């Protein structure tokens, strides 16, 4: 089954789809190993991982698409991609969708922030006029060649224009063809319920640690009515903490020999990245090649003798 | 951190009289221009969009794709300086800073940055949109701040002659110079009178003239432009327009007649190898002690038994 079809079915299924955030191929493998049915990577995590920079539209479309392609190759589960603001106007949006689709993502989203954007849970956001975003959503939907590619529209309008405007935008984006909706940073559960009531359709909940929305469980969000939930910044926050601990200990003790409890074993690591399977596959090719060559040469030897 | 190419560009600017910088967009065009004796090369975004993507100059090429092109062109150009099209910085000040770092690392001798809104379009097209002066200055200041080599020159371009009028373009030229731009590029003046006004207003400042065949600006030769007061004369698309004229015909005749007709003028294989530097490349490899081929003897064609 195509990843896009898989992803669409997961969104449509009655259970809420839980998607942990990753930031590279390695973290993607860990998330898939933990049993999640789909994963996501947002611009916040990608920009941190690739550039060590804040979430500010710094990554180009092509480097983002390359990064997603590698992650999609590393795992079997669908990957949900962050298309930022679409990287320009409707013409750029078309390129964005095409490149991300080709990278192998199960779905992607674009948002109505002005370019260059900033993280949705930080102050100082601005949104584009609603017509502009409606045009971009239509362009995104038209650009896909795989009809199962899920296109989500995100609005950051709550912080800029208030909840009424955000709900109005969500409805317009749905009408423009968005499969999934994301109203960013609702301040409380009451706002969440209102959004889901007044903007019919499947919605995504964004769980950001230390962010502007209450941190609820997948189960609680399912009860409210969300179709899917993401935790997009968890992996980079966790990794930074873990690495600080490690590097700090290394600085203090001048060795990592007492830090093994912070780590997986070498064997656990190589298993995670698929070394046993890779070696087995290599060996099977060598064996098959040997057999094939042996079979062809054997009759000749018999006739010579 | 300075490079021979950057020092050469300074020397060209200090030398009395104008100089030409033919437009190039890939390794092949660069090789042709260098072979013809160009003292300076110009990387045209218009050409790159066509060469890399087969697309119009509408802001589709990403900053990392542009920087990769700069890197490839600068490597071919060696000590010949490359002036590179930085569009509008590809976003806000942070994006402009990133672009500057990428272009400087990639080996450009100079970058130009313009006051069009993102996504930009070719300066000789209709319906350009320019940003307010404060935003343009913010990006220019970002570029100046981000460079680490003072010999990496910054050229400021304004497209406001088209979107406002010549007075606004001159006003912006003053502001850009005050901010610290090394070279000025007033895009698309419509008449020789306008060109004389520009040259007079900025006498003593290095000025660029942009010669586009059938563009908005009168098409003059380097000597005439030099007399007017211009220093750097770019011909962004001349090579590409001539090359494509012949290439289209070659493909059409090839498909029509089932082979390239003998009377179609073309380089010989030997001409091409000389242009592309094959003898020097092979010589370099031999000088290191091995042929320019696979390293292991097992993979070489075995001698006849």
């Amino acid at each position: 089954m195509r990843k896009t079809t898989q992803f669409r079915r997961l969104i449509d299924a009655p259970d809420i789809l839980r998607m942990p955030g990753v930031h590279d191929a390695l973290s993607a493998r860990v998330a898939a190993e933990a049993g999640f049915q789909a994963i996501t990577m947002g611009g916040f995590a990608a920009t941190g991982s690739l550039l060590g920079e804040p979430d500010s539209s710094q990554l180009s479309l092509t480097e983002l698409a390359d990064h997603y392609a590698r992650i999609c190759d590393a795992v079997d589960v669908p990957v949900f991609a962050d298309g930022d603001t679409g990287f320009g106007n409707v013409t750029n949006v078309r390129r964005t969708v095409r490149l991300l689709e080709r990278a192998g993502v199960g779905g992607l989203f674009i948002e109505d922030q002005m370019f260059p954007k900033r993280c949705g849970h930080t102050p100082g956001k601005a949104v584009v006029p609603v017509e502009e975003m409606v045009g971009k959503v239509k362009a995104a939907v038209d650009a896909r060649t795989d009809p199962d590619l899920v296109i989500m529209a995100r609005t950051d309008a709550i912080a800029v224009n208030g909840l009424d405007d955000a709900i109005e935008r969500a409805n317009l984006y749905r009408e423009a063809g968005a499969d999934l909706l994301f109203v960013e940073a609702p301040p409380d559960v009451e706002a969440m319920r209102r959004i889901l009531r007044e903007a019919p359709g499947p919605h995504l909940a964004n769980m950001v640690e230390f962010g502007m929305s209450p941190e609820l469980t997948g189960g609680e969000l399912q009860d409210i009515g969300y179709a899917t939930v993401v935790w997009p910044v968890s992996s980079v926050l966790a990794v930074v903490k873990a690495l600080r601990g490690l590097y700090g200990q290394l600085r203090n003790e001048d060795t990592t020999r007492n830090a093994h409890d912070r780590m997986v074993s070498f064997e656990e690591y190589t298993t995670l990245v698929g070394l046993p399977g890779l070696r087995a596959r290599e060996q099977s090719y060598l064996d098959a090649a040997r057999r094939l060559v042996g079979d062809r040469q054997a009759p000749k030897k018999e006739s010579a003798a | 951190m300075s490079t021979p190419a950057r020092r050469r560009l300074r020397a060209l600017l200090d030398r009395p009289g104008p100089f030409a910088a033919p437009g190039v967009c890939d390794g092949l065009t660069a090789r042709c221009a260098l072979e013809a004796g160009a003292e300076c090369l110009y990387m045209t975004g218009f050409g790159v969009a066509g060469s890399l993507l087969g697309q119009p100059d509408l802001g589709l090429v990403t900053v990392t794709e542009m920087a990769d092109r700069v890197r490839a062109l600068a490597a071919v150009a060696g000590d010949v300086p490359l002036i590179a099209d930085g569009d509008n910085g590809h976003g806000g000040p942070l994006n402009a800073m990133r672009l500057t770092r990428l272009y400087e690392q990639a080996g450009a001798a100079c970058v130009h940055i313009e006051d069009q809104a993102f996504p930009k379009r070719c300066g000789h097209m209709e319906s350009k949109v320019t940003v307010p002066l404060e935003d343009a200055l913010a990006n220019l200041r970002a570029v100046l701040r981000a460079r680490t080599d003072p010999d990496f020159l910054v050229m400021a371009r304004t497209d406001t002659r088209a979107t406002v009028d010549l007075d606004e373009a001159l006003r912006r030229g003053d502001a850009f110079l005050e901010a610290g731009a090394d070279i000025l590029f007033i895009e698309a003046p419509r008449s020789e009178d306008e060109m004389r006004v520009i040259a007079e207003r900025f006498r003593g400042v290095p000025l660029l003239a942009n010669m586009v065949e059938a563009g908005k600006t009168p098409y003059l030769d380097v000597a005439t432009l030099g007399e007017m007061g211009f220093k750097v004369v770019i011909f962004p698309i001349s090579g590409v327009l001539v090359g494509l004229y012949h290439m289209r015909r070659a493909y059409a005749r090839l498909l029509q007649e089932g082979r390239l007709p003998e009377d179609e003028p073309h380089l010989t294989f030997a001409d091409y190898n000389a242009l592309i530097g094959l003898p020097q490349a092979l010589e370099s490899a031999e000088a290191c002690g091995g042929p320019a081929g696979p390293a292991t003897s097992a993979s070489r064609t075995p001698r006849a038994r």
Side-chain angles (χ1 to χ4, degrees):
Chain A
M1 198 191 294
R2 296 196 308 274
K3 298 263 184 89
T4 50
T5 311
Q6 241 180 291
F7 188 67
R8 195 169 273 273
R9 297 220 180 147
L10 289 167
I11 296 282
D12 291 342
D15 280 348
I16 192 171
L17 174 62
R18 295 160 168 90
M19 293 197 272
V22 307
H23 55 274
D24 62 9
L26 198 55
S27 51
R29 289 216 175 202
V30 177
E33 184 194 61
F36 290 97
Q37 297 174 292
I39 61 176
T40 186
M41 180 178 67
F44 184 104
T47 310
S49 171
L50 284 177
L51 301 182
E53 294 271 336
D55 187 15
S56 48
S57 295
Q58 287 299 296
L59 288 173
S60 77
L61 167 61
T62 40
E63 59 193 334
L64 200 63
D66 282 348
H67 198 42
Y68 278 114
R70 288 187 204 106
I71 289 166
C72 290
D73 282 349
V75 293
D76 290 330
V77 296
V79 177
F80 186 54
D82 182 344
D84 206 78
T85 61
F87 295 94
N89 63 12
V90 291
T91 307
N92 303 90
V93 163
R94 202 174 162 77
R95 190 174 190 214
T96 299
V97 171
R98 291 269 157 102
L99 288 184
L100 290 176
E101 190 181 72
R102 232 173 275 147
V105 304
L108 64 98
F109 70 91
I110 58 172
E111 70 202 55
D112 59 9
Q113 274 202 57
M114 285 196 64
F115 173 86
K117 56 108 16 114
R118 48 187 69 193
C119 164
H121 289 248
T122 54
K125 298 194 291 187
V127 292
V128 298
V130 63
E131 294 85 12
E132 191 180 315
M133 182 62 179
V134 166
K136 282 158 104 168
V137 172
K138 280 178 157 295
V141 165
D142 284 350
R144 67 184 161 200
T145 63
D146 178 349
D148 282 345
L149 178 75
V150 171
I151 307 272
M152 178 173 89
R154 159 175 159 174
T155 178
D156 284 66
I158 290 184
V160 186
N161 299 331
L163 186 53
D164 289 348
D165 184 58
I167 289 173
E168 166 78 354
R169 282 175 179 244
N171 280 311
L172 284 165
Y173 303 161
R174 178 82 169 146
E175 226 184 290
D179 301 301
L180 190 55
L181 297 171
F182 172 16
V183 178
E184 169 68 306
D188 50 44
V189 173
E190 201 187 299
M192 289 177 174
R193 289 193 195 281
R194 212 192 123 194
I195 289 163
L196 294 177
R197 208 169 44 237
E198 296 181 22
H203 281 257
L204 175 144
N206 182 19
M207 292 294 103
V208 172
E209 301 79 12
F210 321 110
M212 294 177 170
S213 301
E215 288 184 65
L216 306 174
T217 66
E220 287 166 338
L221 290 161
Q222 174 159 329
D223 289 340
I224 294 173
Y226 282 98
T228 179
V229 52
V230 296
W231 291 265
V233 309
S234 324
S235 68
V236 288
L237 297 183
V239 156
V240 168
K241 175 143 191 180
L243 289 178
R244 275 188 173 164
L246 173 68
Y247 294 143
Q249 190 170 351
L250 176 57
R251 293 268 299 170
N252 288 340
E253 300 179 12
D254 208 22
T255 173
T256 56
R257 65 179 172 227
N258 303 320
H260 293 192
D261 57 339
R262 291 182 185 279
M263 306 177 186
V264 294
S265 69
F266 196 69
E267 199 184 322
E268 279 176 301
Y269 179 87
T270 53
T271 304
L272 174 72
V273 295
L275 185 60
L278 204 135
R279 289 286 178 241
R281 214 164 42 243
E282 281 177 345
Q283 193 57 50
S284 78
Y285 282 123
L286 287 170
D287 292 344
R290 225 167 262 141
R291 270 196 309 276
L292 195 135
V293 172
D295 286 349
R296 278 187 72 84
Q297 286 178 353
K300 285 186 190 151
K301 285 190 188 131
E302 279 168 16
S303 59
Chain B
M1 282 280 285
S2 186
T3 64
R6 286 176 195 156
R7 285 192 286 275
R8 273 215 211 169
L9 181 56
R10 276 214 185 272
L12 286 170
L13 292 170
D14 290 340
R15 185 183 74 186
F19 63 92
V24 299
C25 56
D26 67 7
L28 294 178
T29 48
R31 288 276 190 188
C32 287
L34 290 166
E35 187 193 60
E39 298 181 290
C40 181
L41 299 180
Y42 174 68
M43 182 183 92
T44 151
F46 182 103
V48 171
S51 166
L52 182 63
L53 301 180
Q55 296 288 346
D57 187 16
L58 292 173
L60 287 167
V61 185
T62 66
V63 65
T64 41
E65 288 176 313
M66 291 290 274
D68 284 344
R69 269 296 144 118
V70 172
R71 191 167 302 111
L73 292 174
V76 170
D79 290 349
V80 173
L82 177 73
I83 298 174
D85 182 347
D87 296 315
N88 48 23
H90 285 251
L94 291 182
N95 304 88
M97 288 177 81
R98 185 173 190 219
L99 182 146
T100 306
R101 285 194 302 268
L102 289 173
Y103 277 37
E104 192 185 301
Q105 281 158 21
C110 170
V111 63
H112 73 69
I113 184 124
E114 72 209 38
D115 54 9
Q116 278 200 53
F118 181 89
K120 56 85 46 94
R121 50 182 55 196
C122 162
H124 290 248
M125 278 183 192
E126 301 298 321
S127 311
K128 297 194 289 187
V129 176
T130 45
V131 300
L133 178 56
E134 314 86 73
D135 293 345
L137 281 171
N139 273 18
L140 175 60
R141 284 194 197 107
V143 171
L144 291 164
R145 190 189 170 90
R147 75 170 156 191
T148 63
D149 175 6
D151 279 343
F152 178 71
L153 298 183
V154 175
M155 182 186 322
R157 159 174 155 174
T158 178
D159 284 64
T160 51
R161 191 265 164 267
T163 59
V164 186
D165 57 26
L166 184 60
D167 279 337
E168 177 63 18
L170 297 174
R171 196 168 78 89
R172 291 205 174 196
D174 283 331
F176 294 161
L177 278 176
E178 204 183 341
D182 300 302
I183 309 174
L184 265 197
F185 176 0
I186 311 289
E187 170 67 307
R190 304 252 172 102
S191 67
E192 287 190 41
D193 279 342
E194 290 192 7
M195 292 165 85
R196 267 184 273 273
V197 166
I198 291 165
E200 204 39 60
R201 169 70 159 259
F202 297 112
R203 197 151 291 286
V205 171
L207 284 178
L208 180 141
N210 181 13
M211 293 295 107
V212 174
E213 293 73 19
K216 306 267 184 212
T217 304
Y219 195 80
L220 306 171
D221 64 39
V222 174
T224 309
L225 290 161
E227 274 155 38
M228 275 183 169
F230 292 91
K231 189 79 197 171
V232 190
V233 183
I234 59 173
F235 297 86
I237 59 178
S238 318
V240 163
L241 293 182
V242 170
L244 289 175
Y245 176 90
H246 290 287
M247 207 178 298
R248 292 169 120 165
R249 205 181 61 195
Y251 286 136
R253 295 189 79 198
L254 177 123
L255 291 171
Q256 228 162 42
E257 301 177 42
R259 55 157 288 169
L260 194 69
E262 271 173 38
D263 65 346
E264 188 64 41
H266 61 281
L267 295 189
T268 64
F269 200 62
D271 289 334
Y272 178 87
N273 288 339
L275 174 70
I276 209 76
L278 181 61
Q280 295 90 325
L282 290 176
E283 212 180 282
S284 291
E286 298 283 355
C288 297
T296 63
S297 54
S299 53
R300 299 230 193 93
T301 316
R303 272 195 288 252
R305 290 184 194 272

